[in-house]
Amino acid sequence: MKPGKIIISGERLNGRIKELGQEITADYLGRELVLVGILKGALIFLADLARAISVPLQFDYMVVSSYGAGTETTGAVKILKDLDADLNGRHVLIVDDIIDTGLTLKYLLENIQARQPASLRICTLLDKPSRRRVDISPDYRGFTIDSEFVVGYGLDYNQYYRELPYIAVMEE
Ligand code: IMP
Ligand code: MG
């Protein structure tokens, strides 16, 4: 398996992230945000999105791993590093790379909701709605894609290809 066809160029990523930043800025005007990045996948998106938002904000992140290698999630989520910030009473925006089955995010939403934020929303760079197994949809979405397995811009295949500055489909 290797990265093949580029489905979203670096230029399109940059343009769309600027738009998302403006949308988020407008929605949170007069408030402060805590961006909670779900690492490692959201690392690069978090860095670029944060710089496209112009309300006061803090960064925090969780490092999670879905059990197992390869291209299928099992739904079991392991928290390798938890948040530092106290989210009680804060406006929290979860920043994730991709929503596929939705199982990871469902788990994290419940986990973060239990910390009693003032508000909780989801921003994902990519969305594969056709693969969904639980009822979850993002408040902000960069791009909707088909059910193919993609890499680049933070997304990996067995931990490789996160550094690619575009989104490509894995091919034989
Ligand atoms: P979900 O729990 O199935 O929604 O997906 C959880 C995680 O699987 C995502 O946050 C990604 O880290 C990973 N994932 C899902 N689809 C892809 C893909 O197409 N490429 C790379 N990682 C993916
Ligand atoms: Mg991920």
Side-chain angles (χ1 to χ4, degrees):
M1 298 280 282
K2 57 179 179 358
K5 187 172 178 245
I6 295 175
I7 57 165
I8 308 172
S9 68
E11 209 168 289
R12 277 181 75 206
L13 286 168
N14 293 339
R16 183 69 187 122
I17 290 165
K18 293 240 158 57
E19 289 175 359
L20 284 174
Q22 286 166 4
E23 206 182 316
I24 292 165
T25 300
D27 290 353
Y28 287 90
L29 267 187
R31 287 182 281 174
E32 273 194 33
L33 255 180
V34 184
L35 298 183
V36 170
I38 309 303
L39 269 42
K40 302 171 211 155
L43 175 64
I44 294 175
F45 180 43
L46 175 69
D48 283 347
L49 182 68
R51 287 178 288 179
I53 296 174
S54 45
V55 295
L57 61 80
Q58 296 180 346
F59 276 48
D60 206 344
Y61 58 87
M62 284 170 107
V63 182
V64 306
S65 92
S66 316
Y67 286 103
T71 61
E72 287 296 325
T73 189
T74 60
V77 180
K78 192 158 126 196
I79 297 179
L80 303 175
K81 188 223 165 268
D82 203 352
L83 300 170
D84 296 323
D86 180 2
L87 299 185
N88 195 322
R90 315 287 309 273
H91 295 287
V92 175
L93 181 62
I94 298 178
V95 179
D96 207 354
D97 54 354
I98 187 165
I99 310 181
D100 184 31
T101 62
L103 289 164
T104 307
L105 211 50
K106 183 179 163 50
Y107 174 87
L108 292 175
L109 263 181
E110 281 167 15
N111 182 294
I112 292 173
Q113 191 67 60
R115 307 175 200 220
Q116 302 186 307
S119 69
L120 181 56
R121 287 186 178 177
I122 301 167
C123 178
T124 186
L125 178 66
L126 304 176
D127 191 9
K128 284 193 217 171
S130 59
R131 297 252 313 161
R132 205 73 94 247
R133 281 165 56 191
V134 289
D135 183 24
I136 264 185
S137 66
D139 301 281
Y140 305 96
R141 163 196 301 112
F143 301 89
T144 298
I145 63 170
D146 294 336
S147 68
E148 61 233 333
F149 195 85
V150 295
V151 294
Y153 201 75
L155 291 107
D156 73 300
Y157 174 74
N158 290 344
Q159 302 300 326
Y160 289 101
Y161 311 123
R162 295 190 194 275
E163 74 283 10
L164 299 178
Y166 46 74
I167 302 289
V169 180
M170 286 301 287
E171 289 169 1
E172 291 300 331

